[in-house]
Amino acid sequence: MANSHALISSTMVSVGFLIAAAASFISAYHPAYAFQQSVGISLVNNGRTAALSHTKSMTKLSSSTTANNNDSLSPTTSKSYLYNPTERDEHYNGNIAQYLLDLNDEGATFNFCGGMMFQLVLTDKLKSHLQSVAANDNEQQPIIYKEQLMNRIPNYKKSSFADNISIFHGRELRGIPSANGGMNFCLQLSYADPNGVLDESESPPALGGTGTWTGKSLDPQGWSTQEINTYDGWRQDTYRKWRTAELYESEGYTTFTNDFNGADKGYGLNHRFYLHYDNSNRMWLSAEDGCEGTPDEGKSLIGKLGGMLFGK
């Protein structure tokens, strides 16, 4: 009996250490911690990778009211085509616009660094654009490249250029309590002016830039004129400008707090994103600084730890 008690006690201590280690890992990426570090340390290292995962039980975010109560999917409804490359290709047959719409509607979350969960959210204007593209299956379909870094795709330039086809405007947002994934993180994609061109004769507005992009701020929920003019997403996050909810609203995104269910403490950083395949035919959504994620039903670090410990 004494040996049994000792074994149980030892096991509980081991489990406690594992849970404490996992909790320590997660706390290192807590939004408040990340915000404090943004003054002097890069929030997310260049070259970071991520895996898109899916959270079924939490409230879905929409671009206009991110805390609205959309109808939940039936637990028996299979959505494996969102995550399995072979099933994805059979289901969508090249309709990437519809694929992005379905990931948004499903409330898919990006799993950064094995535990940082960012929910994908499309703005209303981008969603409307992609719905039109998906219905007509035209030449405006988003491109999925074979190049696995943005700076290797054809015609890449350091600028704020985006066309909703090869490159998208987006933001990483933190401090969003209603976000899927339980970590208050969202990854928002927005609509860019398709008529904008890169004028390389103009002095670049940002350090290291190639020229000036002439696109306007057309998406009420998307990049402001200030974000367009000062974008420098090829640089380390340490040197870049993070924006608070108050600043977003003062620069024109007047519905920010309402869109994210009263997230008046939210803050974020704008990025350009593109899509690419890997050698296993998985699709990745990759930021200009090298951060990227792929659709994956896997759990977060805590979820995986629980499965290893308790067989779930």
Side-chain angles (χ1 to χ4, degrees):
M1 181 66 72
N3 290 339
S4 297
H5 283 300
L7 178 59
I8 292 172
S9 177
S10 175
T11 301
M12 292 179 66
V13 169
S14 298
V15 170
F17 275 121
L18 287 172
I19 293 176
S24 175
F25 175 87
I26 294 301
S27 67
Y29 293 99
H30 189 277
Y33 178 90
F35 184 70
Q36 294 166 0
Q37 296 305 307
S38 67
V39 176
I41 301 176
S42 175
L43 286 177
V44 183
N45 294 331
N46 289 342
R48 64 201 171 182
T49 58
L52 259 168
S53 66
H54 170 57
T55 307
K56 296 181 179 178
S57 60
M58 300 187 67
T59 303
K60 298 178 184 177
L61 297 175
S62 73
S63 49
S64 58
T65 307
T66 58
N68 69 346
N69 293 319
N70 292 336
D71 292 335
S72 298
L73 289 171
S74 166
T76 60
T77 301
S78 174
K79 297 289 183 179
S80 58
Y81 53 81
L82 293 175
Y83 314 103
N84 182 288
T86 301
E87 294 182 30
R88 176 202 65 211
D89 290 348
E90 293 176 353
H91 184 83
Y92 292 103
N93 193 28
N95 194 338
I96 305 305
Q98 187 61 55
Y99 184 36
L100 294 176
L101 288 166
D102 289 350
L103 287 169
N104 173 79
D105 292 344
E106 180 68 4
T109 56
F110 291 82
N111 185 343
F112 287 83
C113 304
M116 299 177 64
M117 311 299 285
F118 284 78
Q119 181 175 348
L120 175 65
V121 178
L122 307 180
T123 65
D124 290 339
K125 194 169 183 68
L126 179 60
K127 186 173 180 178
S128 177
H129 166 74
L130 291 176
Q131 286 171 338
S132 176
V133 173
N136 295 295
D137 198 21
N138 55 34
E139 295 180 354
Q140 293 184 315
Q141 280 285 345
I143 297 172
I144 305 182
Y145 289 92
K146 63 180 181 179
E147 291 83 0
Q148 297 185 12
L149 288 173
M150 184 183 289
N151 61 15
R152 295 178 181 175
I153 67 174
N155 303 314
Y156 168 81
K157 302 288 185 181
K158 293 179 179 179
S159 72
S160 54
F161 167 85
D163 58 4
N164 315 302
I165 300 173
S166 61
I167 294 177
F168 290 86
H169 282 169
R171 299 184 181 107
E172 64 170 290
L173 298 174
R174 300 167 182 252
I176 312 297
S178 55
N180 282 350
M183 299 196 70
N184 303 345
F185 299 157
C186 282
L187 192 146
Q188 182 191 53
L189 295 183
S190 58
Y191 182 80
D193 183 358
N195 296 316
V197 297
L198 181 61
D199 186 352
E200 296 188 43
S201 67
E202 293 287 332
S203 298
L207 183 64
T210 304
T212 299
W213 183 60
T214 63
K216 307 299 182 183
S217 177
L218 300 182
D219 187 341
Q221 298 166 307
W223 284 17
S224 63
T225 299
Q226 293 89 335
E227 286 177 285
I228 291 172
N229 291 340
T230 62
Y231 177 71
D232 55 353
W234 48 88
R235 304 177 70 204
Q236 292 184 3
D237 290 358
T238 307
Y239 306 108
R240 303 195 56 216
K241 183 179 181 65
W242 289 75
R243 285 172 162 79
T244 62
E246 182 180 6
L247 184 55
Y248 279 130
E249 295 186 351
S250 71
E251 291 182 348
Y253 187 178
T254 59
T255 62
F256 179 89
T257 299
N258 288 335
D259 284 355
F260 294 98
N261 193 31
D264 58 343
K265 303 300 183 184
Y267 57 95
L269 183 66
N270 58 331
H271 297 276
R272 294 198 301 171
F273 292 89
Y274 85 115
L275 303 171
H276 75 79
Y277 289 122
D278 66 10
N279 295 333
S280 298
N281 197 33
R282 294 177 299 175
M283 188 197 77
W284 292 77
L285 178 64
S286 179
E288 189 162 5
D289 65 1
C291 171
E292 59 182 5
T294 186
D296 182 5
E297 284 188 288
K299 299 178 181 179
S300 67
L301 176 64
I302 291 295
K304 290 179 179 178
L305 180 61
M308 289 187 293
L309 293 176
F310 306 110
K312 296 181 179 180

